[in-house]
């Protein structure tokens, strides 16, 4: 009798003290296999707080998703949280006063002290206030190679960009495409940026992307980059896919030798059951200049004028930055954790390479941190046009590029 009475009282107390679950709609563009597995870890962590993650995945990549996100926020139909790339993509929304200030959470939880690359929090900070929670470090600076494609072609797996270019004829002989590339503009534009750092060097890349020096953009070092980019265009002839993960799948299935892509490609290799170092090889900095760029993702929280939702938004930001969530999410995403106190013992060979480079301080900013969204979009448009129109010469493309940099902000 007694136990039943105690159980009844406990149930009553629990029901009377239970806080009502708050539903938060979260928008993002993570729709590939690896990305979906990773974002599910964020959702699971938030649901575990008793609140509810309402998933708002938008297919088609960031270039499609961001205009939808921005128009909803500006149009008075905001979501509760949304992904942007880490950098300047949401700065106009913040400056318009539309985004929630997270400084109290960031300070209470010591985000800046916990950051693996403290400068990254600067990209969330405007006028001394913090407006986003960075969730990963996703470096663009990688070349992913199919070990089987090179085995099939009877040539060794390349250890750097020059060897990759030299091996291309053997791959073509074996009926394979040397370089996989999808048609979304950000893909060829991203590959150009990685090649610029490897071929022209970091200082020259910074002169153009940080200092907006059009002379350098139109000069001899970048002429070498555009020549190599023209060669890369030839090596991807026949790569008729749209999405980045379809291009990654060409490498996974040994139809292509390699892909220049950010380390989110790892999520696809993992979902396919492939093992770093055995099935695929990763060359940071194209094997030329081992470096990590602080590309990545961050979540921003539109103001909703609802105290209960605002409390839940801050709880979501806190959950995203927590050690447990950082481990679960980044292992699935293939990215490096945003905080330095996460034990990545389970990291694969490629993630360990990235962590070592990060630990050595060979870190560079991302284009998204240095260039305005408008300038980035102009560069993407030029690069995808060059990629698809072989009548445009490397010299033509470089001249147009120098003009964009001349008016870059
Ligand atoms: C990037 C994003 C990555 C990755 C990629 C492909 O912008 O930072 O997380 O998912 O898009 O969708």
């Amino acid at each position: 009798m007694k136990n039943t009475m105690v159980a009844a009282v406990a149930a009553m107390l629990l029901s009377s003290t239970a806080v009502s679950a708050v539903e938060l709609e979260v928008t993002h563009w993570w729709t590939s296999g690896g990305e979906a597995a990773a974002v599910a870890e964020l959702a699971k962590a938030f649901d575990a707080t008793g609140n509810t993650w309402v998933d708002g995945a938008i297919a088609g990549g960031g270039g499609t998703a961001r205009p939808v996100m921005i128009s909803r926020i500006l149009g008075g139909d905001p979501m509760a949280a949304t992904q942007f790339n880490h950098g300047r993509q949401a700065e106009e929304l913040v400056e318009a006063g539309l985004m929630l200030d997270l400084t109290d959470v960031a300070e209470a939880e010591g985000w800046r002290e916990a950051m693996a690359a403290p400068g990254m929090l600067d990209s969330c900070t405007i006028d001394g206030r913090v407006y986003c929670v960075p969730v990963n470090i996703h470096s663009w600076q990688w070349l992913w190679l199919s070990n089987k494609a090179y085995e099939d072609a009877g040539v060794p797996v390349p250890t750097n960009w020059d060897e990759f270019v030299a091996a291309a004829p053997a791959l073509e002989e074996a009926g394979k495409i040397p370089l996989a590339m999808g048609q979304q503009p950000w893909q060829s534009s991203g590959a150009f940026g990685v090649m610029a750092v490897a071929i022209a060097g970091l200082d020259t890349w910074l002169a153009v992307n940080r200092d907006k020096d059009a002379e350098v953009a139109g000069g001899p070092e970048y002429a070498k980059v555009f020549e190599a980019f023209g060669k890369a265009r030839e090596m991807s002839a026949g790569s008729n896919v749209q999405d980045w993960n379809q291009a990654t799948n060409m490498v996974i299935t040994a139809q292509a030798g390699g892909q220049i892509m950010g380390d989110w490609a790892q999520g696809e290799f993992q979902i396919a059951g492939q093992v770093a170092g055995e099935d695929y090889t990763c060359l940071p900095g194209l094997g030329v200049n081992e470096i990590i760029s602080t590309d990545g993702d961050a979540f921003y929280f539109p103001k909703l004028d609802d105290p209960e939702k605002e409390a839940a938004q801050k709880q979501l930001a806190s959950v995203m930055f927590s050690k447990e969530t950082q481990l679960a999410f980044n292992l699935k995403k293939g990215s490096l954790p945003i905080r330095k106190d996460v034990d990545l013992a389970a990291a694969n060979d490629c993630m360990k390479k990235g962590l070592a480079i990060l630990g050595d301080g060979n870190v560079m900013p991302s284009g998204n941190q240095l260039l305005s969204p408008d300038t980035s979009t102009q560069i993407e448009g030029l690069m995808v046009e060059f990629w698809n129109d072989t009548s445009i010469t490397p010299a033509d493309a470089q001249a147009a590029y120098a003009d964009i940099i001349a008016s870059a902000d």
Side-chain angles (χ1 to χ4, degrees):
M1 182 66 154
K2 187 171 180 302
N3 284 344
T4 312
M5 180 63 81
V6 166
V9 168
M12 186 192 68
L13 277 176
L14 270 178
S15 62
S16 62
T17 53
V19 175
S20 60
V22 174
E23 291 191 349
L24 293 185
E25 181 195 10
V26 185
T27 50
H28 59 85
W29 59 84
W30 290 329
T31 56
S32 76
E35 291 171 333
V39 74
E41 294 296 336
L42 297 179
K44 191 166 80 175
F46 186 57
D47 289 351
T49 66
N51 294 298
T52 305
W53 170 295
V54 177
D55 199 67
I58 302 171
T64 302
R66 285 191 295 273
V68 171
M69 295 160 174
I70 291 168
S71 61
R72 278 191 57 186
I73 294 167
L74 293 175
D77 173 29
M79 64 301 289
T82 187
Q83 171 199 1
F84 280 106
N85 283 125
H86 190 66
R88 298 179 56 188
Q89 289 175 353
E91 72 183 14
E92 291 185 1
L93 296 171
V94 171
E95 285 161 357
L98 297 169
M99 310 308 277
L100 185 62
D101 182 335
L102 302 171
T103 310
D104 54 346
V105 183
E107 288 180 350
E109 298 185 351
W111 288 4
R112 186 168 294 276
E113 297 69 36
M115 300 283 286
M120 286 185 78
L121 198 61
D122 296 342
S123 296
C124 288
T125 306
I126 292 182
D127 297 334
R129 310 298 293 174
V130 176
Y131 290 95
C132 68
V133 52
V135 292
N136 58 13
I137 300 174
H138 247 332
S139 174
W140 245 109
Q141 311 294 320
W142 294 89
L143 175 61
W144 306 94
L145 300 168
S146 160
N147 294 358
K148 184 176 186 311
Y150 289 92
E151 193 184 311
D152 292 350
V155 290
V157 177
T159 63
N160 59 46
W161 180 253
D162 288 346
E163 289 177 12
F164 176 77
V165 175
L171 285 177
E172 286 161 347
E173 275 293 300
K176 298 177 188 297
I177 294 170
L179 182 66
M181 178 67 76
Q183 289 307 311
Q184 290 158 333
W186 64 270
Q187 295 182 52
S188 40
S189 183
F192 175 78
V194 176
M195 291 178 68
V197 175
I199 293 165
L202 178 59
D203 290 342
T204 304
W205 183 89
L206 286 170
V208 170
N209 289 274
R210 180 192 58 202
D211 308 335
K212 302 347 182 242
D213 187 329
E215 286 281 298
V216 176
E221 297 97 334
Y222 259 72
K224 289 185 199 131
V225 182
F226 276 94
E227 278 307 315
F229 198 51
K231 180 71 187 151
R233 174 173 66 177
E234 290 167 24
M235 292 192 286
S236 77
S239 176
N240 300 318
V241 293
Q242 178 67 11
D243 295 343
W244 69 272
N245 51 307
Q246 293 170 306
T248 311
N249 190 55
M250 291 171 66
V251 178
I252 289 170
T253 55
Q255 298 170 65
Q259 179 189 25
I260 298 174
M261 189 46 69
D263 46 22
W264 45 90
Q266 291 236 70
E268 303 310 297
F269 287 104
Q270 282 178 152
I271 283 280
Q274 295 207 339
V275 177
E278 288 175 31
D279 303 304
Y280 65 96
T281 297
C282 52
L283 297 183
L286 307 187
V288 176
N289 165 15
E290 297 208 344
I291 196 162
I292 287 288
S293 58
T294 53
D295 290 276
D297 303 292
F299 279 83
Y300 292 76
F301 302 81
K303 287 178 181 169
L304 299 176
D305 195 18
D306 174 331
E308 202 182 33
K309 290 216 170 188
E310 181 176 309
Q313 286 173 303
K314 291 185 175 181
Q315 201 173 1
L316 176 54
S318 174
V319 161
M320 287 174 158
F321 197 81
S322 73
K323 288 183 190 174
E324 302 74 21
T325 309
Q326 275 292 304
L327 181 63
F329 168 71
N330 281 290
L331 280 180
K332 293 274 176 65
K333 194 71 174 65
S335 37
L336 302 182
I338 198 68
R339 49 187 307 164
K340 60 192 173 194
D341 52 1
V342 172
D343 174 21
L344 272 177
N348 68 25
D349 286 6
C350 293
M351 289 181 82
K352 283 185 176 134
K353 276 186 186 177
L355 284 167
I357 295 166
L358 186 63
D360 291 344
N362 289 344
V363 178
M364 59 175 279
S366 74
N368 285 321
Q369 287 173 291
L370 300 177
L371 300 171
S372 71
D374 178 51
T375 298
S376 298
T377 303
Q378 288 182 55
I379 293 171
E380 287 179 6
L382 169 63
M383 297 305 169
V384 75
E385 188 187 4
F386 171 76
W387 202 263
N388 289 299
D389 179 350
T390 51
S391 71
I392 302 175
T393 67
D396 297 337
Q398 181 175 11
Y401 179 70
D403 287 346
I404 293 172
I405 296 301
S407 58
D409 63 349

